[in-house]
């Protein structure tokens, strides 16, 4: 039996407008994010080479990768801009992408549940890191090398912008568009998780030898898959309420950035 593809928690005219957002709108968000992840890192790499801070483009690309927690904010700002453009075009409020309203205590309790239930994903990621790289520190965190001001930016600004952009784009636009196209919520969720995980292969991009570091890219995709699967399942458990997930992810990403900035990872 097909799950209803139109079970989006908004009402009246807003629901009708939201349903008009197509797979094309979802594709726009995905292409925007992936192209900017690569493009911004490439521009930064070229800047490092021109400025004499890197010997060649390969060195520049890998050096730029250490700033991904900083330049990632540009990608999130562009995502927010694309969201605003799409929503204004269809007369939809940003708040409606967050699902039914929830009291502050419900958001807090839900966020705590997300963090607890994410424990298996944390364990899996740690084991995968040790198996591939022989270390407890994930390589995308080990390569971060920024001055104090950039580290502070990564803790105070980047996690907030990430939550206003990434989960809202995937759960608020991409998932409903896939549901309408595929007709089954579970299938749409699986496809969304796969796309979302694949995006992680591009931030950051590392160069190894004569080409891309495919081991690192594959690791990025595999290490995040359990997190995305758990969070997507909880999104449905919470009745498509996104705020508990956003709060939990903000704490998780902010805590990770703080640990990196303090040299604990």
């Amino acid at each position: 039996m097909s799950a209803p593809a139109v079970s989006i928690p908004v009402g009246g005219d807003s629901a009708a407008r939201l349903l008009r957002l197509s797979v094309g709108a979802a594709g726009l968000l995905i292409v925007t994010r992936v192209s900017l992840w690569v493009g911004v890192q490439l521009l930064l790499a070229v800047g490092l080479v021109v400025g004499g801070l890197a010997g060649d483009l390969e060195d520049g690309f890998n050096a730029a990768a250490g700033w991904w927690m900083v330049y990632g904010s540009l990608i999130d700002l562009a995502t927010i801009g694309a969201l605003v453009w799409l929503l204004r075009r269809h007369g939809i409020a940003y708040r409606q992408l967050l699902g039914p309203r929830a009291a502050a205590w419900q958001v807090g309790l839900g966020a705590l549940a997300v963090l607890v239930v994410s424990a298996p994903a944390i364990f899996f990621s740690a084991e995968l890191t040790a198996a591939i790289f022989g270390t407890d520190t994930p390589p995308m965190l080990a390569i971060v090398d920024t001055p104090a001001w950039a580290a502070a930016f990564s803790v105070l600004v980047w996690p907030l912008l990430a939550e206003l952009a990434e989960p809202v784009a995937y759960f608020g636009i991409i998932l409903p568009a896939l549901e309408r196209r595929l007709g089954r919520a579970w299938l749409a969720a699986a496809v969304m998780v796969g796309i979302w995980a694949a995006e992680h292969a591009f931030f950051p991009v590392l160069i190894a030898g004569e080409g891309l570091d495919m081991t690192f890219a594959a690791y990025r995709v595999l290490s995040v898959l359990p997190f995305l699967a758990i969070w997507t399942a909880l999104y449905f458990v919470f009745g498509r309420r996104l705020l508990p997930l956003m709060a939990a992810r903000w704490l998780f990403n902010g805590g990770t950035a703080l640990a990196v900035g303090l040299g604990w990872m």
Side-chain angles (χ1 to χ4, degrees), residues 35-48 57-68 71 74-75 143 201-207 216:
S35 60
L36 284 177
W37 276 119
V38 178
V40 172
Q41 186 178 351
L42 176 60
L43 287 175
L44 182 56
V46 171
L48 291 173
L57 191 58
E58 177 181 341
D59 291 340
F61 224 80
N62 289 337
W67 287 75
W68 72 271
Y71 69 72
L74 297 177
I75 287 80
I143 63 173
F202 298 95
F203 65 97
V205 174
L206 296 183
I207 305 296
F216 175 74

Side-chain angles (χ1 to χ4, degrees), residues 199-237:
E199 181 192 325
H200 286 71
F202 298 95
F203 65 97
V205 174
L206 296 183
I207 305 296
E210 298 298 321
L212 300 178
D213 189 338
M214 298 305 295
T215 298
F216 175 74
Y219 162 80
R220 286 287 283 142
V221 174
L222 292 175
S223 64
V224 79
L225 266 174
F227 288 99
L228 299 180
I230 290 172
W231 295 340
T232 301
L234 289 174
Y235 175 68
F236 286 102
V237 170

